[in-house]
Amino acid sequence: MTELRHRGTTDSDFHSEDKGSDRESRTDGEVPSDNESKLDSGLQDVPVPPDDTPEVLNKALSGLSSRWKNWWVRGILTLAMIFFFFIIIYLGPMVLMMIVLCVQIKCFHEIITIGYSVYHSYHLPWFRTLSWYFLLCVNYFFYGETVTDYFFTLVQREEPLRILSKYHRFISFALYLTGFCMFVLSLVKKHYRLQFYMFGWTHVTLLIVVTQSHLIIHNLFEGMIWFIVPISCVICNDIMAYMFGFFFGRTPLIKLSPKKTWEGFIGGFFSTVVFGILLSYVMAGYRYFVCPVEFNSDSNSFTVDCEPSELFQLQDYSLPAALESLTGWTTVRMYPFQIHSIALSAFASIMGPFGGFFASGFKRAFKIKDFANTIPGHGGIMDRFDCQYLMATFVNVYIASFIRGPNPTKVIQQLLALRLDQQLHIFNSLKAHLTERGLLPASEEVA
């Protein structure tokens, strides 16, 4: 999330602001019902995370004001996370997929924990058990689909995997149906409404977290550049918007997040667009980043070797007259992907922050400052990935709409799954079609 607020805000300020917003909402003449009042009082039970800053940093920064202490804590931890990001990129696509899964589970845990903290006093039966069970079911469905699509040769080679793949959707539905029946059997008369609240809570969390993390993995299979550049643009926008807002912020951007400023928003936008163009230029020259991630059945490992498409080959572009007079250049040599990176950077800077605004509204609704205290100065994992999930969906839609064409590999996989007579019929039809087009010589009839 694009962070422009200062973490030095005290809990008393935070809660007083929430009380003020509550008073404003009451002036509209809307009177809360008894059930709503009871639920609002339950929101106070959400625990406030303690200060989790490492003791060594507390001692080293003890002489600074809270504002600058927060600056240094956030800066040091940000550099540490960027270093960790470089390491997992170096370790390859399989490690990246495992990290995405771990992040997904942690984000789900943080959101479900908030729900449990709010409603635990009502002793809702099986709430946490069913939440994790539905997470297991949804992951089984999505990862099963991924295995079937990208590990086809391995699935066809192993009989148990072939059976699981053939009936995968039926098994997934049966698993979900079991959880659905368990939920119905757990309904208690005095808690009907709350139990359905939490049923919806769990499913919306699954939609936001699991579905979009699955899209991140699909983007990764298109080529690591489609994974790294969007994530890096969000990170860059986060950092630069915070810096511009910290040093130059004067004009509030949105009431939902009063510490966010127009100066940070605009500064983050231009910085991210420039960063995206430069990063794309560097990465587009390496096959390791631009080639689709494919599974090699011979070596039982992922390969990222291919002949780069035109998207990742340098081309000359004529400059508009205004830029030509300004720079003195008539043409510029760049990768076509860099043009696409402008769209990715712009979305990360303009629309991406709305994922953060959504998260801010959610946290204010439950009177919490962060989803968790996993990362000192940054909050929970969900606090860092609220914009990333929105970005992942955009990248997946962007690839499907403007980049991806028919995939010959998947077509062949589907053909090989047909019966032999069906394969022969398709072969003869394709041969006749290519002969009519003149791509194959006409066969001579044998007397």
Side-chain angles (χ1 to χ4, degrees):
M1 179 175 60
T2 307
E3 296 285 353
L4 304 178
R5 67 179 182 274
H6 307 303
R7 295 277 183 176
T9 304
T10 62
D11 293 331
S12 60
D13 293 338
F14 182 79
H15 289 295
S16 64
E17 185 176 348
D18 285 326
K19 291 177 182 177
S21 62
D22 290 341
R23 286 194 296 269
E24 291 175 3
S25 64
R26 299 309 179 207
T27 60
D28 297 333
E30 181 181 344
V31 179
S33 65
D34 293 338
N35 289 335
E36 288 176 334
S37 299
K38 187 180 295 184
L39 291 179
D40 288 341
S41 62
L43 297 180
Q44 301 298 329
D45 293 333
V46 179
V48 178
D51 182 13
D52 57 345
T53 306
E55 188 62 28
V56 62
L57 287 180
N58 276 328
K59 290 182 178 179
L61 305 174
S62 59
L64 300 176
S65 65
S66 60
R67 183 170 184 261
W68 281 101
K69 178 183 177 182
N70 179 65
W71 163 269
W72 281 104
V73 170
R74 287 176 60 86
I76 293 171
L77 270 296
T78 297
L79 292 176
M81 287 188 289
I82 293 174
F83 178 72
F84 177 71
F85 185 54
F86 285 149
I87 292 177
I88 61 176
I89 291 173
Y90 174 78
L91 293 176
M94 193 64 185
V95 176
L96 283 172
M97 293 178 205
M98 293 298 103
I99 293 296
V100 170
L101 177 61
C102 293
V103 168
Q104 172 215 115
I105 293 173
K106 179 58 179 171
C107 290
F108 183 83
H109 170 260
E110 290 178 359
I111 298 177
I112 291 299
T113 299
I114 292 173
Y116 181 75
S117 299
V118 171
Y119 298 118
H120 74 280
S121 60
Y122 294 93
H123 304 292
L124 301 181
W126 298 0
F127 164 57
R128 301 187 85 172
T129 302
L130 284 174
S131 296
W132 287 101
Y133 177 81
F134 282 125
L135 176 68
L136 177 65
C137 292
V138 175
N139 270 309
Y140 175 81
F141 171 74
F142 281 123
Y143 278 90
E145 294 285 308
T146 301
V147 168
T148 302
D149 287 343
Y150 296 101
F151 299 81
F152 180 81
T153 53
L154 175 63
V155 170
Q156 293 300 312
R157 193 172 59 194
E158 302 292 337
E159 183 66 20
L161 291 179
R162 190 151 55 87
I163 295 174
L164 289 174
S165 174
K166 183 177 181 180
Y167 302 105
H168 169 68
R169 295 196 175 185
F170 180 81
I171 295 172
S172 300
F173 177 73
L175 290 172
Y176 178 83
L177 194 61
T178 301
F180 179 80
C181 293
M182 290 170 61
F183 168 75
V184 173
L185 293 174
S186 71
L187 290 174
V188 179
K189 185 176 181 180
K190 60 181 179 179
H191 294 321
Y192 284 159
R193 181 177 295 182
L194 281 177
Q195 287 182 282
F196 278 100
Y197 282 164
M198 301 318 299
F199 185 78
W201 182 297
T202 299
H203 281 68
V204 171
T205 304
L206 292 172
L207 176 65
I208 293 174
V209 176
V210 182
T211 304
Q212 297 187 76
S213 65
H214 177 69
L215 297 181
I216 292 177
I217 293 179
H218 269 252
N219 299 340
L220 177 61
F221 276 106
E222 295 295 328
M224 292 180 65
I225 195 170
W226 291 104
F227 173 87
I228 297 172
V229 169
I231 286 181
S232 299
C233 285
V234 173
I235 294 173
C236 175
N237 185 69
D238 186 8
I239 295 172
M240 298 309 298
Y242 177 79
M243 291 182 66
F244 275 93
F246 187 89
F247 289 107
F248 309 110
R250 295 292 183 273
T251 311
L253 175 63
I254 185 172
K255 290 183 178 180
L256 189 62
S257 297
K259 297 292 183 176
K260 293 180 173 63
T261 63
W262 276 104
E263 290 81 2
F265 185 80
I266 296 172
F269 170 77
F270 286 106
S271 301
T272 303
V273 171
V274 173
F275 171 81
I277 294 174
L278 295 177
L279 179 63
S280 299
Y281 181 83
V282 173
M283 296 186 65
Y286 295 91
R287 295 187 179 186
Y288 179 76
F289 295 120
V290 304
C291 290
V293 178
E294 297 179 348
F295 182 76
N296 190 322
S297 59
D298 296 328
S299 60
N300 288 330
S301 61
F302 289 102
T303 59
V304 285
D305 188 25
C306 68
E307 186 64 31
S309 65
E310 293 183 358
L311 199 62
F312 305 105
Q313 295 179 9
L314 285 169
Q315 299 182 19
D316 292 323
Y317 292 90
S318 299
L319 290 177
L323 290 178
E324 183 177 340
S325 60
L326 182 65
T327 62
W329 302 340
T330 57
T331 61
V332 62
R333 191 167 178 79
M334 59 188 299
Y335 295 99
F337 180 79
Q338 289 180 271
I339 299 176
H340 294 288
S341 75
I342 297 175
L344 301 179
S345 302
F347 185 89
S349 303
I350 298 174
M351 301 305 300
F354 279 85
F357 301 153
F358 178 86
S360 295
F362 179 89
K363 289 183 285 188
R364 287 185 175 277
F366 292 96
K367 298 180 175 64
I368 56 176
K369 191 175 182 181
D370 297 307
F371 283 95
N373 60 347
T374 309
I375 310 171
H378 292 269
I381 298 296
M382 191 64 198
D383 289 286
R384 296 295 90 213
F385 280 84
D386 45 14
C387 299
Q388 297 287 4
Y389 285 127
L390 187 61
M391 187 70 189
T393 303
F394 171 74
V395 173
N396 191 269
V397 172
Y398 189 88
I399 293 174
S401 301
F402 304 108
I403 305 298
R404 184 190 297 133
N407 190 331
T409 302
K410 289 189 176 182
V411 173
I412 293 175
Q413 290 176 356
Q414 292 174 345
L415 290 176
L416 293 177
L418 298 175
R419 298 193 311 269
L420 293 178
D421 61 318
Q422 293 174 324
Q423 294 180 25
L424 185 61
H425 174 72
I426 292 175
F427 169 77
N428 291 327
S429 300
L430 182 60
K431 182 180 178 181
H433 173 73
L434 294 177
T435 302
E436 291 178 2
R437 298 285 299 273
L439 297 176
L440 289 178
S443 59
E444 299 180 359
E445 296 184 1
V446 180

